[in-house]
Amino acid sequence: MLKENLESVEAKIQAACERAGRKREEVTLIAVSKTKPVSMLKEAYDLGVRVFGENKVQEIRDKYEALPKDIEWHMIGHLQTNKVKYIVDKVRLIHSVDSLKLAETIEKEAEKHNCTADILLEVNVAEEESKFGLKTEKVLPLYDKILQYSHINVRGLMTIAPFVENPEKNRTIFADLHKLYVDIKEKNIDNDTVSILSMGMTNDYEVAIEEGATMVRIGTGIFGARDYSI
Ligand SMILES: *Cc1c(COP(=O)(O)O)cnc(C)c1O
């Protein structure tokens, strides 16, 4: 099942890239393995997957220990400041920075661990009450503040679009985030570090790619439905 799912997702990513006149290499697939057992991640690893996304600190720590070290771990979930220390030197990218307080903590912990943290700013483009993320107008001010930190690199933006039956409904959200991304890229023209736009999940990643996503985060489409009862 995993093999067929991966092939099907890969084919859809390729087709979306073609429709948008983009190169396949411009889009990184993140296999979102939250709640799934290590054995299933190992199976995906054996099929060639090296980029995994998780949303819980404890789960990243456990899976990091249990699986090969050439895996890139992506923290895609809400991050509490008191847990930054456990993952700051283990994850390739933190997708979910949405406050100055969190950025300050990442700066401090990265310095302690002698590393530089690559992060994305999470934007709540749709302004859903239930979601984390910055309002659009708060993004540039926070970006400017973080620029002064020496142990954080802001690499781009992330959003979680609403769950909708028809993914076309999220197209304007993706287009809006892309616009903001281009603005930030232009501000940052001297040191070309802003290059990641993380948007699109199982239900809407094809539309997200058409609107410029450089990372798509796909869970259900690869690993099947999640069971939260266990
Ligand atoms: C769970 C999750 C995903 C993957 O969701 P699917 O709909 O299963 O593809 C992507 N991004 C974030 C932030 C998530 O928490």
Side-chain angles (χ1 to χ4, degrees):
M1 182 197 77
L2 207 47
K3 185 165 187 284
E4 287 74 20
N5 288 352
L6 278 167
E7 284 168 359
S8 153
V9 166
E10 179 55 38
K12 286 180 186 162
I13 290 175
Q14 279 182 23
C17 285
E18 261 166 48
R19 284 196 298 281
R22 303 181 61 199
K23 292 200 199 82
R24 171 64 188 90
E25 309 85 81
E26 290 173 29
V27 180
T28 301
L29 168 60
I30 301 176
V32 176
S33 46
K34 62 191 189 197
T35 78
K36 299 297 176 184
V38 166
S39 59
M40 210 178 207
L41 277 73
K42 182 65 173 52
E43 201 185 328
Y45 180 90
D46 289 339
L47 291 164
V49 177
R50 292 293 180 274
V51 185
F52 290 89
E54 289 283 342
N55 68 342
K56 294 226 157 62
V57 166
Q58 189 59 50
E59 218 170 319
I60 292 186
R61 294 176 79 188
D62 294 345
K63 288 172 174 173
Y64 178 92
E65 286 308 321
L67 287 157
K69 292 293 171 280
D70 63 339
I71 288 176
E72 251 187 43
W73 295 99
H74 288 243
M75 176 55 184
I76 62 174
H78 181 64
L79 180 56
Q80 288 171 292
T81 51
N82 61 338
K83 295 191 175 159
V84 170
K85 57 178 176 282
Y86 299 120
I87 56 153
V88 71
D89 58 346
K90 296 192 174 57
V91 298
R92 181 67 204 81
L93 184 66
I94 300 170
H95 290 232
S96 45
V97 176
D98 64 355
S99 72
L100 184 60
K101 185 169 159 248
L102 178 57
E104 273 170 4
T105 308
I106 294 171
E107 167 69 14
K108 243 188 285 167
E109 291 298 333
E111 185 171 17
K112 264 193 222 162
H113 287 82
N114 222 344
C115 65
T116 304
D118 278 355
I119 67 152
L120 305 178
L121 299 179
E122 178 175 351
V123 190
N124 185 356
V125 185
E127 300 205 356
E128 286 183 285
E129 292 278 343
S130 59
K131 295 249 166 82
F132 294 105
L134 297 154
K135 285 192 178 172
T136 300
E137 69 267 22
K138 303 268 166 123
V139 173
L140 278 170
L142 182 58
Y143 176 76
D144 284 337
K145 282 191 186 131
I146 297 178
L147 270 187
Q148 294 160 31
Y149 292 152
S150 47
H151 298 85
I152 296 185
N153 256 326
V154 181
R155 302 294 316 278
L157 302 177
M158 180 273 234
T159 198
I160 304 174
F163 181 81
V164 287
E165 288 294 330
N166 177 4
E168 281 299 328
K169 287 203 171 147
N170 283 338
R171 189 178 290 277
T172 55
I173 289 174
F174 296 142
D176 285 351
L177 192 68
H178 183 257
K179 240 181 267 162
L180 191 58
Y181 168 74
V182 170
D183 287 348
I184 288 185
K185 246 176 124 60
E186 276 168 7
K187 271 180 80 94
N188 188 257
I189 208 119
D190 297 338
N191 54 348
D192 202 23
T193 51
V194 175
S195 61
I196 300 173
L197 186 54
S198 168
M199 57 187 194
M201 304 168 35
T202 297
N203 201 43
D204 55 18
Y205 67 92
E206 294 162 88
V207 174
I209 290 171
E210 288 168 15
E211 296 301 329
T214 72
M215 280 185 183
V216 289
R217 310 178 306 265
I218 303 181
T220 316
I222 294 173
F223 296 104
R226 286 179 290 275
D227 182 354
Y228 288 100
S229 67
I230 47 173

